[in-house]
Amino acid sequence: MMASKGEAAVSGAVSRVGRYRWVIVGLLFAATAINYVDRQMIAVLKPDLSKELGWTETDYANIVFYFQAAYAIGYLAFGKVVDAIGARFGYAIAVVIWTIAHVAHGGVHTVMQFTLARFGLGIGESGNFPAGVKTVADWFPAKERAFAVGLFNAGSNVGAILTPLLIWAMVPAFGWRMTFVITGIFGVIWLVAWLAIFRDKPADHPKVGAAELAYITQDPADPEVKVENLWGKLLRTRETWAFALGKFFIDPIWWFYLFWLPSWLGKEYGLNLTSWDSPTAAIALGAIYLISDVGSVAGGWLSGKLMSTGMSVNKARKLTMLISACFVLPVMFTTFYGNLWLSVFVVGVAAAAHQSFSATLYTIPSDTVPRFAVGSVIGIGGTLGAVGGMVFSKYAGYVLDAIGSYAPLFIVAGAAYFLALLSIHLLSPRLARADVA
């Protein structure tokens, strides 16, 4: 179908005026990268911390468990905060909390102290995606949202790539305690940039011209309504649970990649992530997340591309998720490959497929609920995803202490995405727009 003259004019005007909304995505990308550096450092340091502090697998699983418990609580809170006060100050509050908690890791000694520091980190870091997705919903038309989410979500992979490299470079020189302090500076720098550059409404930003504003607001406006008991209505809405159950099934797998892959590389292939003499571990872990970056961007691009051919939102989103789920399957046999680089490639492809699935899943709230409820739905889904991560953490600690094999964990990782897609389709067969007014 040919575009109307009005659409062509808007598109041409945007290309002349510029695309300032992508600067905002750059800020979201940077925040997500910092978020994941702060989040993953404990995983990379786990072998050294376990020796120094005498952790068992169950101790480590419990530390991860309470981080995820805080993440679940914070996701609900920040979803509501972001909807109430906007992403500008909601995001700032989140970054302040998580940066303070991250730096505090450098001064702890016991399992309980580590647990408290991780709990604070989980509260703060939970604000990243509610604020980021809310920002995309406000700054992008529907046809670009999946790609925009995919781009800023790729920051998680960049953070995961940088973490082992930072640990490899800094810990031998400064020690792990000072490394927590130094990396905390990243959050402070980002906070200053965010408050200086970002505004909640594109119309309020001096760098957004009239043509770009028209492009951003091309979709029908949501009605300005005050909804009493919004959460109660959302919890009774099938589309909310379609997103939330999808998160419940897939989020634990990403937690597994973040928190257990470094120790898997150490156990399976004897790699040391904190030795200058042995950069192979940092390269292997970085390669996994470098591969996964492709999936984050590709998933968002694919569903948008399918929609541009005339495919419905429902079919485009679900077909993208089905393709992603199929690419995950080989990870089920990871422990049987017996070759480092083959295993790295397979896990990297699975992580890429996760990011593709996740970026597409994150667009479902903006497809199915009004903008004023997007942050709250993201919060509900993130909470259920964190609960799934808590269950998986306990399972991982039990399996690794009891049998010492990662095979059951990789098998679960391969099956989870089909369960997620099935639940999404059963609860929302058409991804219809929900009435929550």
Side-chain angles (χ1 to χ4, degrees):
M1 182 181 294
M2 294 183 64
S4 70
K5 291 182 179 179
E7 288 174 335
V10 169
S11 178
V14 171
S15 65
R16 292 194 300 272
V17 171
R19 300 173 180 269
Y20 196 78
R21 64 196 182 279
W22 299 108
V23 174
I24 304 304
V25 168
L27 286 171
L28 300 179
F29 175 94
T32 305
I34 295 167
N35 184 290
Y36 272 75
V37 168
D38 294 354
R39 183 180 307 193
Q40 202 198 9
M41 278 182 59
I42 192 175
V44 179
L45 290 167
K46 180 197 168 197
D48 288 356
L49 293 176
S50 296
K51 291 178 183 177
E52 182 176 331
L53 304 176
W55 292 351
T56 65
E57 291 287 355
T58 300
D59 288 334
Y60 177 72
N62 285 336
I63 292 171
V64 173
F65 175 91
Y66 284 107
F67 169 84
Q68 292 165 328
Y71 203 82
I73 296 168
Y75 233 120
L76 277 180
F78 273 109
K80 192 167 186 178
V81 166
V82 168
D83 279 340
I85 70 173
R88 186 171 185 243
F89 290 111
Y91 220 149
I93 292 168
V95 173
V96 168
I97 293 172
W98 100 49
T99 300
I100 292 172
H102 173 73
V103 172
H105 283 65
V108 301
H109 296 83
T110 67
V111 170
M112 178 56 71
Q113 290 171 347
F114 249 103
T115 299
L116 292 173
R118 295 302 287 182
F119 192 89
L121 187 71
I123 291 290
E125 290 204 337
S126 65
N128 187 75
F129 283 100
V133 176
K134 171 71 169 175
T135 298
V136 168
D138 289 338
W139 275 76
F140 285 83
K143 64 184 179 182
E144 286 186 343
R145 286 177 195 155
F147 185 52
V149 171
L151 283 177
F152 93 72
N153 190 45
S156 61
N157 307 313
V158 171
I161 292 166
L162 289 175
T163 305
L165 298 174
L166 289 169
I167 295 295
W168 174 74
M170 296 175 69
V171 170
F174 305 109
W176 64 265
R177 294 184 184 279
M178 187 54 64
T179 299
F180 276 107
V181 176
I182 295 171
T183 51
I185 297 171
F186 301 152
V188 177
I189 295 171
W190 182 89
L191 180 63
V192 173
W194 176 254
L195 292 175
I197 294 172
F198 181 73
R199 299 295 181 269
D200 283 310
K201 296 181 179 179
D204 294 337
H205 205 294
K207 294 291 183 69
V208 177
E212 184 172 10
L213 183 61
Y215 184 81
I216 292 170
T217 59
Q218 66 184 267
D219 300 315
D222 291 330
E224 293 290 334
V225 293
K226 278 284 187 181
V227 180
E228 294 183 4
N229 190 25
L230 175 60
W231 278 14
K233 291 184 178 180
L234 290 175
L235 290 172
R236 295 192 296 272
T237 301
R238 292 167 66 93
E239 284 71 24
T240 299
W241 288 103
F243 173 72
L245 279 178
K247 295 285 285 179
F248 176 83
F249 284 115
I250 74 165
D251 278 12
I253 311 308
W254 188 245
W255 297 115
F256 168 56
Y257 293 151
L258 286 178
F259 294 135
W260 272 275
L261 283 187
S263 57
W264 165 70
L265 286 171
K267 179 180 174 62
E268 192 78 10
Y269 296 104
L271 301 182
N272 185 348
L273 283 153
T274 59
S275 171
W276 274 344
D277 297 329
S278 179
T280 304
I283 294 170
L285 196 59
I288 289 172
Y289 294 111
L290 183 62
I291 296 170
S292 71
D293 246 341
V294 176
S296 183
V297 177
W301 172 84
L302 178 58
S303 67
K305 183 66 174 178
L306 292 173
M307 288 169 59
S308 72
T309 66
M311 188 177 290
S312 68
V313 171
N314 179 52
K315 189 173 181 180
R317 304 293 196 222
K318 290 176 181 174
L319 180 58
T320 300
M321 289 189 282
L322 177 61
I323 293 170
S324 302
C326 290
F327 273 98
V328 174
L329 282 174
V331 85
M332 299 176 74
F333 310 103
T334 299
T335 57
F336 301 103
Y337 294 133
N339 178 276
L340 171 63
W341 298 111
L342 176 59
S343 296
V344 164
F345 176 75
V346 169
V347 175
V349 170
H354 168 91
Q355 292 291 57
S356 172
F357 195 108
S358 179
T360 308
L361 179 61
Y362 263 122
T363 64
I364 287 179
S366 61
D367 293 331
T368 57
V369 301
R371 286 189 183 95
F372 63 78
V374 166
S376 295
V377 173
I378 295 292
I380 293 167
T383 295
L384 205 61
V387 170
M390 293 161 64
V391 174
F392 192 90
S393 294
K394 288 289 189 180
Y395 173 67
Y398 169 77
V399 166
L400 294 175
D401 269 338
I403 66 176
S405 172
Y406 285 82
L409 308 182
F410 281 112
I411 290 171
V412 173
Y417 299 86
F418 291 97
L419 295 175
L421 182 55
L422 178 63
S423 66
I424 292 165
H425 184 67
L426 291 177
L427 284 164
S428 188
R430 296 183 294 111
L431 292 184
R433 193 78 167 174
D435 181 11
V436 298

